[in-house]
Amino acid sequence: MTDFTRRSAVKAFGAGALAVATIDSAAAAAPQPATSPPAFTGNFQPKPLKFDPGKLDGLSERLIKSHWENNYQGSVKTLNAVRTRLSAALADKDAPPAIYGGLKREELHRTGSVVLHEIYFDGLGGNGQVAGSIKDALGAAFGSYATWEAEFRRTGMSLAGGSGWTILTFNQHTGTLSNHWAWDHMHGAAAGLPLLALDMYEHSFHMDYGTQAAKYIDAWFRNVDWEVVDQRYRRAIGASRA
């Protein structure tokens, strides 16, 4: 990542943190509803891992537990905190619009982080052998499964040394399968349903592989649970036909 993009990211995160801190000080004085509606309720709970983190091939238990406990659960906790603060911010008529905008940005960012991390972890625990309707669909969309995999890997490596996600998406509007590049948790194609997500933030591999991102991607592919991906794909197709 360049110095410019790093400075931009720090500035953006700083704005979100400032918004949260500012609303904290105003929350006590703002009128609070007896019960909060769902849009302002922070009751998300971490989703347990569906596999034994000590039995993955090439991804250590220490790495997976750190990723799940610190990065994923950190986003769950922050999302809950931000959503409860939005109600107080909305009631504070004197708050500058930028304050509310900072909270809404952080809400979007943390929502994306929670969703993508859950898709990432749910996609692990398999034997890496692709099968089912998703294999045929990828072959039809990309010419062959091998071509899809090569493009997915290339997209992942384009983020190595920086941050972001590589996401296999079914688009309900266009009816197509695509691999998308995402610089952060907020990049996603409109009408796109994520089927498989590869976390390319350094926290997802640096503990095991340092800067050797390609080896991490190799290990990740060996552990993909394609049955889960196939189930997501069939649900996406069904929803698009409804």
Side-chain angles (χ1 to χ4, degrees):
M1 188 185 299
T2 64
D3 289 341
F4 174 78
T5 54
R6 289 184 187 278
R7 287 197 301 271
S8 299
V10 169
K11 182 178 179 181
F13 281 116
L18 176 61
V20 173
T22 303
I23 293 306
D24 272 345
S25 63
Q32 299 295 313
T35 57
S36 296
F40 301 117
T41 301
N43 56 4
F44 295 102
Q45 298 297 319
K47 188 174 182 179
L49 295 173
K50 68 178 182 62
F51 56 86
D52 183 344
K55 294 184 178 180
L56 297 185
D57 180 6
L59 299 174
S60 71
E61 181 176 10
R62 178 168 169 256
L63 171 68
I64 295 297
K65 282 189 172 181
S66 174
H67 192 175
W68 183 80
E69 292 173 357
N70 297 310
N71 305 100
Y72 164 57
Q73 289 199 49
S75 282
V76 173
K77 292 175 182 177
T78 303
L79 177 60
N80 286 336
V82 169
R83 283 171 66 92
T84 58
R85 284 161 174 75
L86 283 169
S87 180
L90 186 63
D92 184 2
K93 305 301 182 183
D94 296 325
I99 297 298
Y100 204 79
L103 281 170
K104 293 301 290 184
R105 183 199 178 280
E106 195 66 22
E107 180 193 30
L108 179 62
H109 177 83
R110 295 300 174 173
T111 298
S113 178
V114 169
V115 170
L116 289 172
H117 273 104
E118 291 183 357
I119 292 172
Y120 172 80
F121 287 120
D122 280 353
L124 293 174
N127 61 11
Q129 299 300 309
V130 62
S133 57
I134 186 61
K135 181 179 181 180
D136 294 335
L138 290 172
F142 288 83
S144 68
Y145 170 81
T147 300
W148 168 80
E149 182 177 325
E151 210 240 354
F152 194 92
R153 286 175 178 270
R154 180 69 65 86
T155 305
M157 285 303 297
S158 74
L159 290 159
S163 62
W165 297 84
T166 302
I167 308 168
L168 169 62
T169 298
F170 174 78
N171 194 288
Q172 287 186 298
H173 184 74
T174 64
T176 57
L177 288 166
S178 299
N179 293 324
H180 287 300
W181 172 99
W183 184 80
D184 64 14
H185 312 306
M186 298 186 291
H187 282 115
L193 295 176
L195 306 180
L196 181 66
L198 170 62
D199 192 339
M200 287 304 299
Y201 281 83
E202 287 190 345
H203 63 243
S204 66
F205 63 89
H206 198 272
M207 191 179 292
D208 282 357
Y209 291 102
T211 60
Q212 297 178 309
K215 290 186 177 181
Y216 157 65
I217 295 175
D218 288 342
W220 177 83
F221 262 104
R222 294 198 301 271
N223 291 279
V224 171
D225 187 343
W226 282 102
E227 289 185 11
V228 170
V229 183
D230 190 53
Q231 290 169 6
R232 288 201 195 106
Y233 174 65
R234 286 187 278 111
R235 285 198 300 269
I237 290 291
S240 68
R241 292 172 179 169

